Amino acid sequence: MSTSLLRSWDVLGARPAPRRAGAVIGLVQLPVRPLLSVLTRPTWIGTENLPATGAVLACGNHLGPVDAFAYGHLLQASGFAPRFLAKEAMFRVPVLGAALRSARQIEVRRGGPRGRDALDDAREALGRGELLMMFPEGTYTRDEQLWPMQARLGAARLAVDTGAPLVPMASWGGRRLWPVGSPVPHPGPGRRIVIRVGEPYTVARQEGETPQQAAQRVSTELMTRISALLGRTRGERPPDVLHDPRDDDHRPEIGRPQAGFRPVRQR
């Protein structure tokens, strides 16, 4: 059996310790990966850009409920433990919460010091040389044309504080395959997911910048890169100014669109 195949399935110590997924994911992948291959019919572009060693912050756009599965599938198949920062609500679900903790996913409790705890946990994981997957927007996009939005600053702060390289990623096809508000995916002809992985890059505070200013600048650049990757997949130019989700009435994450909202149809 080839070394790359052993790394992909995380067996026989083929991965270095920071890339190991653990027993829970090791068992779950056996039925789930073949199912995801059939369901999402994935196309992955640029996986060679994922650094083989050292801390990494992989950051992707967020279209809907299939995204975590799709990005996780790519990472695990490429030899990386799929480790996410996930919303607190997911950890409260019976069985699922226990499985997430066992798989060493990081719980995000928003608001006050509870939110800072997640960043501390993330810094520790990066200090161990792990790869973390984040959705910088923090929720499904609220842009009517399904472009990425302006993001929260957590990913940017981690990159500035730790020096871990950022790897932008962009997924397309997930909203059509698994519409927001639906309890199950809607597979069918032509419904597939394309994920494009960009080149890694590092960031740092510039002279005279406050930590807040640095995080805002880095976050803007990160989302611009993610949007550019998505634009290449869609064959379209992303907007010059990304949607600002603050004070939106549109809440796709809870299935409550604003009046007149008509999202673009994914191809």
Side-chain angles (χ1 to χ4, degrees):
M1 188 177 292
S2 70
T3 302
S4 61
L5 188 60
L6 291 173
R7 275 199 305 269
S8 175
W9 289 92
D10 196 10
V11 294
L12 300 179
R15 295 185 190 178
R19 299 289 186 256
R20 296 299 307 273
V24 171
I25 293 176
L27 291 174
V28 169
Q29 71 173 338
L30 298 177
V32 170
R33 281 177 59 180
L35 177 62
L36 285 171
S37 294
V38 172
L39 179 67
T40 67
R41 300 171 60 236
T43 296
W44 299 331
I45 304 165
T47 55
E48 68 277 4
N49 289 324
L50 290 165
T53 60
V56 182
L57 271 168
C59 298
N61 63 318
H62 203 4
L63 293 169
V66 78
D67 291 335
F69 296 102
Y71 283 118
H73 186 198
L74 178 151
L75 291 172
Q76 179 70 353
S78 301
F80 300 86
R83 192 148 295 133
F84 289 79
L85 273 73
K87 292 180 181 178
E88 179 183 14
M90 297 180 66
F91 287 81
R92 295 199 212 104
V93 179
V95 181
L96 175 61
L100 290 173
R101 292 184 183 91
S102 297
R104 296 165 59 197
Q105 308 305 300
I106 297 175
E107 183 177 2
V108 178
R109 303 179 181 94
R110 287 182 180 158
R114 286 154 53 90
R116 287 193 291 273
D117 289 345
L119 293 184
D120 289 340
D121 291 342
R123 289 186 187 95
E124 290 180 6
L126 293 170
R128 294 190 294 268
E130 297 179 7
L131 179 147
L132 293 183
M133 180 74 210
M134 296 184 68
F135 297 119
E137 298 159 281
T139 188
Y140 306 152
T141 184
R142 300 171 189 167
D143 181 83
E144 294 189 14
Q145 301 300 311
L146 301 183
W147 292 104
M149 304 184 294
Q150 296 179 31
R152 299 172 183 268
L153 301 183
R157 287 194 175 107
L158 284 172
V160 172
D161 291 349
T162 67
L166 287 161
V167 176
M169 304 171 72
S171 176
W172 184 241
R175 184 71 72 91
R176 187 180 181 202
L177 176 62
W178 195 332
V180 173
S182 171
V184 294
H186 297 179
R191 298 185 181 184
R192 63 185 309 147
I193 290 182
V194 178
I195 298 180
R196 192 178 293 269
V197 183
E199 295 182 0
Y201 68 103
T202 57
V203 296
R205 279 176 61 184
Q206 296 178 353
E207 185 176 354
E209 273 188 328
T210 66
Q212 180 75 4
Q213 289 170 335
Q216 289 174 336
R217 173 181 56 81
V218 170
S219 183
T220 298
E221 180 183 2
L222 172 62
M223 299 314 296
T224 297
R225 290 185 182 226
I226 292 173
S227 298
L229 290 171
L230 184 58
R232 289 171 62 187
T233 299
R234 293 172 57 166
E236 301 172 14
R237 178 177 173 175
D240 293 330
V241 178
L242 298 183
H243 178 72
D244 187 342
R246 291 173 293 185
D247 301 322
D248 266 351
D249 289 328
H250 178 223
R251 295 289 188 273
E253 66 274 20
I254 59 174
R256 192 180 74 211
Q258 63 191 12
F261 181 80
R262 294 291 184 273
V264 66
R265 178 178 176 81
Q266 292 195 48
R267 294 183 295 276

